[in-house]
Amino acid sequence: MDLLDSLHELEDLVASSSRFLLTNKCLVNEEELIRLISNIRKEWPSALKEAEEINANRDKIIEDARIEAKNIIEQAKVYAQKKASENEITLAAEAKANEILEKTYKHSEAMRNDSVQYAEQVFDHMSVYIQNILNTVQVAKNGLQHVGLPEKDETEEKQKSTEQKD
């Protein structure tokens, strides 16, 4: 079971729980709540690992773009040196090298910006899910705090009346 499934199940548990009249409080099955929280704790590291992998991929894309840019620059230099003996060809080569260099930098910058934006979206998405988990757990916890046990006198009276019936 993955993290999102556990969160949905936790939400369903709270939504389908018995409600107290005239309040926004509910009675949640403690065993189910503990099981779901345990599942979330188990899945949490894998969700963080996934986010780290996405971040690592972003860095790899940026590094690949840098390597590609260096290769293109080197190719442009070699090309320019071969054509340096002729004036017109030299001017054309310099222009082409500059064009390639500019395109490479623009492409590298665009790739970097896209990967950073993607990573930010993933982290924002994870933050929303994490906040939802915390809110749901807090609501469930608050609901448990308002569930009271009968007073001792009431319990004794019920036992006495049951014993008298027997």
Side-chain angles (χ1 to χ4, degrees):
M1 177 174 279
D2 72 354
L3 184 61
L4 290 178
D5 289 341
S6 294
L7 289 174
H8 289 302
E9 195 174 334
L10 179 62
E11 185 177 36
D12 290 343
L13 176 67
V14 172
S16 65
S17 296
S18 300
R19 302 256 175 227
F20 290 104
L21 292 176
L22 304 174
T23 70
N24 63 350
K25 307 292 185 230
C26 64
L27 182 62
V28 177
N29 181 318
E30 181 179 8
E31 290 175 2
E32 281 294 306
L33 179 62
I34 290 172
R35 181 185 64 78
L36 290 171
I37 291 172
S38 177
N39 286 346
I40 290 169
R41 281 190 180 127
K42 288 176 190 172
E43 291 298 326
W44 190 263
S46 67
L48 288 177
K49 183 177 181 183
E50 182 179 330
E52 288 172 350
E53 288 173 359
I54 289 168
N55 193 30
N57 286 338
R58 178 199 67 155
D59 293 340
K60 184 179 181 331
I61 290 169
I62 291 170
E63 186 58 30
D64 288 348
R66 285 185 183 140
I67 290 170
E68 183 181 344
K70 285 181 183 179
N71 288 338
I72 291 171
I73 291 169
E74 287 301 316
Q75 289 173 358
K77 284 180 182 179
V78 169
Y79 179 78
Q81 287 173 354
K82 284 181 183 179
K83 303 298 178 177
S85 62
E86 301 173 24
N87 252 351
E88 289 182 22
I89 296 174
T90 302
L91 293 174
E94 287 176 358
K96 184 68 174 173
N98 288 334
E99 178 185 330
I100 290 171
L101 185 59
E102 177 138 348
K103 284 182 182 178
T104 301
Y105 284 132
K106 285 180 181 178
H107 181 69
S108 175
E109 185 67 21
M111 287 178 66
R112 186 187 72 76
N113 289 339
D114 289 347
S115 63
V116 167
Q117 184 180 14
Y118 178 73
E120 287 175 351
Q121 288 173 349
V122 168
F123 286 121
D124 288 344
H125 189 69
M126 290 292 290
S127 294
V128 168
Y129 276 111
I130 291 167
Q131 189 60 45
N132 287 342
I133 291 170
L134 293 174
N135 290 343
T136 303
V137 169
Q138 188 62 45
V139 166
K141 181 180 175 184
N142 289 344
L144 288 175
Q145 291 175 352
H146 298 291
V147 174
L149 296 174
E151 297 281 329
K152 184 177 178 181
D153 294 337
E154 291 177 18
T155 306
E156 289 174 1
E157 288 177 19
K158 286 181 182 178
Q159 283 180 341
K160 288 179 184 178
S161 69
T162 304
E163 289 173 0
Q164 289 174 357
K165 288 180 184 178
D166 290 338

